[in-house]
């Protein structure tokens, strides 16, 4: 049925993501009847802060795990990633303890200071998960990643329901998500058969220097990009409060779940296959890139039309009248999500061709435009979401074109 290992691996990822989406869609109507808008909103605020700082918890050295030909070098990168993760967790703990309130006020989420221990734990666990996931990608154990896509929503959603029935606060959503990450991380390390105790502890300077672009370019790039992605939560919290953030979170989850079936299935496979293609023949990278973008553009048309035509009716039917605004949010945001779907799996290409600085410049410009447009049109929740959609769609379209241009330029040089 499949003509290549690339398609087989995408199929494995797709199957896991699809089953995970079914679990999410099945349990979400129950969760929205247990937790109110504010509890979802408070949970999303904490998740956004965790995502922001976890994005640089290992200075992005974990991304380099996939690249070396020699296992010894890969193991050294794992050692470096783990050591940096421990270091950043300790430093962030001190910073949050001394200046947490000022920092969270700057991010427009001052109430997050009350949950500092939860945030620190979340950053460390997420960092460990990112290291383990890249190790599994290196070993091409996509079946394991596919299983993760099923196990994680089972634990997170079933756990959220169970704890919520006892006491429906955001903590139930938080603890179930963290537990899911912990279990998957353990599974990843066990499946990789990596002996953490025997990881190299000496002569790490060579890999630190060789892959220093990940620290100096990818880290700020990822931080700014993550801040840009979390900006809606931060600004909606500031202008409209946690209740509206809760509605936005449900809309985002309903959009992300089916689109992640497609995007993440391609993303993890593309990173490994494109890296291998670039090392063998630069022309193969261009072919892989073009084929991936074309497939994503075609596949994404169906969810685009489905959301635009049916979101309000479907949300009202499944989640109830009190959540119908989530359907409106989905329709406003969907065009931006379509272009994000096309861009996200191939956005890692700048790292593969060692032109991360181009991605950094594009993301900085995008952040300024997104922030400025959302603040300028903050008169209502609908205008701020429309500004987000337009700025996002333009950014992802332009970013994808720039990747194509620099692959062609690299091939011709």
């Amino acid at each position: 049925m499949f003509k290549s290992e690339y398609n087989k691996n995408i199929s494995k990822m797709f199957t896991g993501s699809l089953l995970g989406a079914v679990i999410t869609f099945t349990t979400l109507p129950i969760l929205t009847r247990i937790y109110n808008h504010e509890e979802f909103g408070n949970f999303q605020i904490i998740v956004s802060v965790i995502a922001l700082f976890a994005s640089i918890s290992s200075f992005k050295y974990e991304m380099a795990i996939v690249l070396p030909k020699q296992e010894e070098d890969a193991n050294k990168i794992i050692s470096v990633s783990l050591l940096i993760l421990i270091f950043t967790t300790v430093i962030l703990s001190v910073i949050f303890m001394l200046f947490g309130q000022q920092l969270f006020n700057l991010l427009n989420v001052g109430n997050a200071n009350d949950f500092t221990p939860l945030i620190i734990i979340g950053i460390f666990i997420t960092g460990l998960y990112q290291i383990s996931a890249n190790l599994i990608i290196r070993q091409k154990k996509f079946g394991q990643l596919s299983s993760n896509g099923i196990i994680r929503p089972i634990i997170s959603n079933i756990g959220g329901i169970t704890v919520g029935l006892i006491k429906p606060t955001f903590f139930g959503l938080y603890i179930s998500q963290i537990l899911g990450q912990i279990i998957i991380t353990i599974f990843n390390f066990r499946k990789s058969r990596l002996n953490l105790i025997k990881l190299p502890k000496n002569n790490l300077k060579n890999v630190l220097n060789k892959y220093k672009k990940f620290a100096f370019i990818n880290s700020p790039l990822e931080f700014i990009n993550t801040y840009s992605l979390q900006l809606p939560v931060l600004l909606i919290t500031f202008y409209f409060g946690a209740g509206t953030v809760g509605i936005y979170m449900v809309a985002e989850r309903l959009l992300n779940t089916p689109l992640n079936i497609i995007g993440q299935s391609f993303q993890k496979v593309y990173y490994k296959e494109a890296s291998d293609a670039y090392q063998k023949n630069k022309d193969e990278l261009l072919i892989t890139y073009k084929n991936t973008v074309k497939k994503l553009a075609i596949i994404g048309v169906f969810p685009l039309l489905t959301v635009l035509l049916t979101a309000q009716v479907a949300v009202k039917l499944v989640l109830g009248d009190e959540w119908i605004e989530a359907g409106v949010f989905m329709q406003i945001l969907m065009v931006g999500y379509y272009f994000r779907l096309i861009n996200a799996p191939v956005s890692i290409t700048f790292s593969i061709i060692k032109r991360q600085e181009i991605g950094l410049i594009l993301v900085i410009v995008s952040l300024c435009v997104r922030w400025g447009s959302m603040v300028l049109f903050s008169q209502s929740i609908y205008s701020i979401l429309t500004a987000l959609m337009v700025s996002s769609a333009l950014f992802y379209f332009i970013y994808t074109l720039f990747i194509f241009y620099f692959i062609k330029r690299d091939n011709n040089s």
Side-chain angles (χ1 to χ4, degrees):
M1 180 177 178
F2 298 98
K3 294 182 180 180
S4 68
E5 184 182 359
Y6 184 61
N7 286 333
K8 288 180 182 179
N9 289 333
I10 288 176
S11 177
K12 289 179 184 179
M13 296 301 301
F14 182 86
T15 302
S17 298
L18 177 61
L19 292 174
V22 170
I23 295 165
T24 297
F25 276 120
T26 303
T27 55
L28 188 58
I30 303 173
L31 289 167
T32 54
R33 286 165 172 81
I34 295 175
Y35 299 94
N36 60 32
H37 297 174
E38 286 71 22
E39 298 301 340
F40 269 110
N42 287 326
F43 169 64
Q44 183 58 53
I45 290 168
I46 292 176
V47 168
S48 294
V49 175
I50 290 172
L52 182 62
F53 291 102
S55 67
I56 55 169
S57 58
S58 294
F59 294 176
K60 302 316 296 177
Y61 274 101
E62 78 277 4
M63 290 176 60
I65 293 170
V66 176
L67 301 179
K69 293 181 179 180
Q70 303 297 324
E71 285 300 317
E72 182 182 358
D73 288 340
N75 288 340
K76 287 181 179 179
I77 297 172
I78 295 170
S79 295
V80 167
S81 300
L82 290 170
L83 290 171
I84 293 175
L85 174 61
I86 294 170
F87 172 77
T88 53
T89 303
V90 172
I91 294 299
L92 286 173
S93 299
V94 174
I95 292 173
F96 289 161
M97 183 174 62
L98 297 177
F99 309 108
Q101 190 63 64
Q102 296 92 319
L103 179 60
F104 294 132
N105 285 340
L106 188 64
L107 294 173
N108 297 321
V109 287
N111 61 328
N113 191 52
D114 298 331
F115 313 116
T116 297
L118 302 182
I119 292 170
I120 291 296
I121 292 170
I123 291 170
F124 183 74
I125 297 301
T126 303
L128 275 180
Y129 165 73
Q130 290 169 170
I131 293 169
S132 72
N134 279 281
L135 174 59
I136 291 297
I137 292 171
R138 174 181 175 77
Q139 297 177 347
K140 291 190 174 184
K141 294 183 177 178
F142 295 106
Q144 174 64 26
L145 289 174
S146 178
S147 299
N148 292 349
I150 303 170
I151 297 170
R152 186 171 183 172
I154 290 176
I155 297 171
S156 298
N157 293 305
I158 301 300
I161 292 171
T162 303
V163 178
L165 290 173
I166 300 171
K167 190 173 182 180
T169 69
F170 75 91
F171 184 74
L173 297 168
Y174 167 86
I175 195 66
S176 57
Q177 174 161 304
I178 290 297
L179 182 61
Q181 270 193 331
I182 291 172
I183 291 174
I184 287 174
T185 301
I186 293 172
F187 284 172
N188 284 348
F189 279 122
R190 290 189 64 182
K191 187 72 174 180
S192 73
R193 300 187 183 278
L194 179 73
N195 190 329
L196 293 171
I197 298 175
K198 293 184 178 180
L199 281 173
K201 301 174 181 63
N202 300 316
N203 301 319
L204 303 180
K205 189 175 180 180
N206 287 341
V207 295
L208 272 171
N209 290 329
K210 184 175 181 179
Y211 298 100
K212 62 184 178 182
K213 266 197 172 184
F214 284 91
F216 292 107
I217 302 294
N218 284 77
S219 279
L221 170 62
E222 187 68 17
F223 184 83
I224 294 169
N225 190 43
T226 304
Y227 178 75
S228 184
L229 291 174
Q230 301 304 327
L231 187 63
V233 171
L234 305 178
L235 288 180
I236 292 171
T237 301
F238 180 73
Y239 287 114
F240 306 106
T244 306
V245 173
I247 300 173
Y248 173 81
M249 175 197 166
V250 170
E252 188 181 45
R253 180 174 289 192
L254 288 169
L255 288 174
N256 273 332
T257 300
L259 294 180
N260 281 347
I261 296 174
I262 306 166
Q264 291 186 3
S265 301
F266 277 82
Q267 186 175 44
K268 292 181 173 64
V269 179
Y270 174 83
Y271 185 28
K272 180 59 178 173
E273 296 297 329
S275 299
D276 291 346
Y278 184 69
Q279 291 180 5
K280 294 175 185 175
N281 187 327
K282 293 180 180 179
D283 289 333
E284 288 189 26
L285 173 60
L286 181 61
I287 294 170
T288 302
Y289 169 82
K290 289 170 67 174
N291 288 340
T292 302
V293 169
K294 287 178 183 177
K295 288 177 184 177
L296 289 166
I298 294 170
I299 293 171
V301 171
F302 177 71
L304 172 67
L305 295 177
T306 301
V307 169
L308 292 178
L309 296 174
T310 68
Q312 288 189 56
V313 175
V315 169
K316 181 179 179 180
L317 180 66
V318 176
L319 303 185
D321 290 341
E322 64 272 23
W323 290 96
I324 194 170
E325 281 288 278
V328 179
F329 288 10
M330 290 170 65
Q331 289 174 320
I332 295 173
L333 295 168
M334 185 58 207
V335 173
Y337 272 76
Y338 171 73
F339 285 101
R340 177 179 167 184
L341 168 68
I342 296 170
N343 172 263
V346 299
S347 62
I348 195 66
T349 308
F350 279 131
S351 295
I352 295 171
I353 64 175
K354 297 179 175 62
R355 297 305 298 267
Q356 295 99 316
E357 64 278 4
I358 305 300
L360 177 59
I361 294 170
L362 289 172
V363 169
I364 291 173
V365 173
S366 165
L367 175 59
C368 295
V369 172
R370 183 175 297 187
W371 183 88
S373 62
M374 292 182 71
V375 170
L376 184 63
F377 293 96
S378 59
Q379 297 87 351
S380 73
I381 185 61
Y382 303 120
S383 62
I384 203 172
L385 291 178
T386 301
L388 170 64
M389 179 274 292
V390 173
S391 60
S392 297
L394 286 173
F395 165 67
Y396 291 122
F397 179 72
I398 293 170
Y399 197 106
T400 304
L401 289 180
F402 265 75
I403 293 173
F404 175 76
Y405 170 77
F406 277 96
I407 294 176
K408 289 275 289 184
R409 181 176 169 178
D410 195 46
N411 285 0
N412 295 331
S413 61

